[in-house]
Amino acid sequence: MHYKDLRSYLAALDEIGDLAHITREVDGDLEPGAITRRSCELDAPAPLFENIRGATPGFRVLGAPAARSSRKDMPYARVALSLGLPPAASVPEIVDALIATRDIPGKKPVLVDATNAPCRQNILMGDDANLDKFPIPFAHDTDGGRYANTWGMLIAKSPDGKWTNWSIARVMKVDGKRMAGLIVPSQHIGQIWAEWVKLGQPMPYVLVQGMAPAIACVAGIPIPAGVDEADYVGALWNEPIEVVKALTNDLELPANSEVVIEGHVSLTRDCPEGPYGEYSGYLGTHSSLQPTFHVEAISYRDDPIWPLVVAGRPTDESHTIWAMGMAADATALLRAAGLPVTCTWAPEESAVHWFVVVVPNDWRDVLPDTSTEEFARRVGEILFKADSLVFLPKIYLVDDDIDPTKLSDVVWAIATRVHPSRRQVVFSDARVVSLAHCYEDDEYESGKGPKIVFDTLQPAIGKGRLRHASFDQAYPEDVRKRVLANWPTTTKSPI
């Protein structure tokens, strides 16, 4: 089942017990951020703040919309439900669904009459279009401002109209009429903004809050340049997204959105943005000049819901949906290059600083006369050059006896299969970005530094590979069957 708006998705979370209704009054500054952050760190239900001090009655904030679930039997339920999958779907199943959607013809969105569109229930124009009306909290106490966008979607179109990009990028509220948005040149929105700058024309934009969960997820993952996210979601849903025209420009936006902000972006980086707590798990300490997003119109649903992601120590949306999107892109790139890959994953606890590439036992049949070092080098050459994976500093190439979503497996592999000095393929002059937290100042300044692939591949089965001292491998099949047949189903204890 696909949820076409945020509210039906919240009803589904309620049904599985993964939504916490916070009805007591909370302050409008830091308390929603603090509760959301603690919810992420404890894998607690997603908090829905329904009584925010100073906010218009009925205005709400949703925390942790796609973080790890509170249900231990379905840890990725929020992402799975967002994408229309069963709530118990595993990481490989979710990643495979994202990859498979790439091969389905996209479905263009369909324009509907805006008269009855939920996002047009309330309209503010001119001076009335003011962000001060909305309960935008601080995410962290050292942030440069209230972040108006942490899980909303920016819509921008290339000047020739051939490419419309829907993406998530952080945007800081400056005052009621201005925001400063982080525009990274290598990202798609940065490429489109650069085209408008070349023409000397301000880029029109729409910033949407509270769209259908699949739209938010797809906006937050890498898909190929030139592909419209709206078409990709249409393929995922097997039906087009219903959209309406913006009030002030020719962009189109999801009709069921909670809040819609419209305006134009400055031609220069003219406004300080940041600092902000980031996915690496540390509070930011620096600001930078970024383009100004001027606000010209706002529309919203009755009793609107504003989503809030509080990035930080794992686990939050950076370590779930963003990592899944990166895994889908990495897997697709490696397979397109003819490399046998079972799956890829960035263990949440690594804050997307480790990437595990799992290969099947028969990889030597697919790549005859290829050493493990050569295999590792090819993986690094492909992944470290990809724009979508520029954040990755470390890759572990492992056999498929390792489950990359199980941290105990990954730690065991790193501890027992990574040689202290050998079998490491180093790319000494790779591209480095400031958001990855493991480099030195000179490397950030130059934008260059080392990246590494750890070759942990074991000998082929039957040719020197050690068996595990585990239940699965250290006992005959008849003994294991007898143990399992007599093991109580209601307890972990054999007694």
Side-chain angles (χ1 to χ4, degrees), residues 64-143:
R68 203 156 51 186
S69 170
S70 60
R71 289 283 300 267
K72 302 306 178 187
D73 56 334
M74 46 182 73
Y76 304 102
R78 291 180 210 169
V79 178
L81 288 170
S82 293
L83 297 172
L85 300 172
S90 66
V91 164
E93 289 169 337
I94 296 170
V95 170
D96 284 346
L98 293 173
I99 296 171
T101 303
R102 294 178 175 222
D103 298 326
I104 301 173
K107 291 185 180 294
K108 292 288 182 187
V110 59
L111 191 65
V112 298
D113 182 6
T115 306
N116 297 315
C119 69
R120 295 288 189 246
Q121 290 173 335
N122 304 273
I123 297 176
L124 305 173
M125 301 292 293
D127 292 341
D128 292 331
N130 195 302
L131 296 172
D132 292 339
K133 184 178 182 67
F134 298 91
I136 305 170
F138 283 93
H140 318 88
D141 66 354
T142 60
D143 288 350

Side-chain angles (χ1 to χ4, degrees), residues 19 21 81 84 104 139 164 205 215 257 300 332 366 371 416 427 465:
L19 186 68
H21 294 266
L81 288 170
I104 301 173
T164 299
Y205 80 90
I215 298 174
S257 305
Y300 60 95
V366 181
S371 69
T416 63
F427 296 77
R465 181 179 298 195

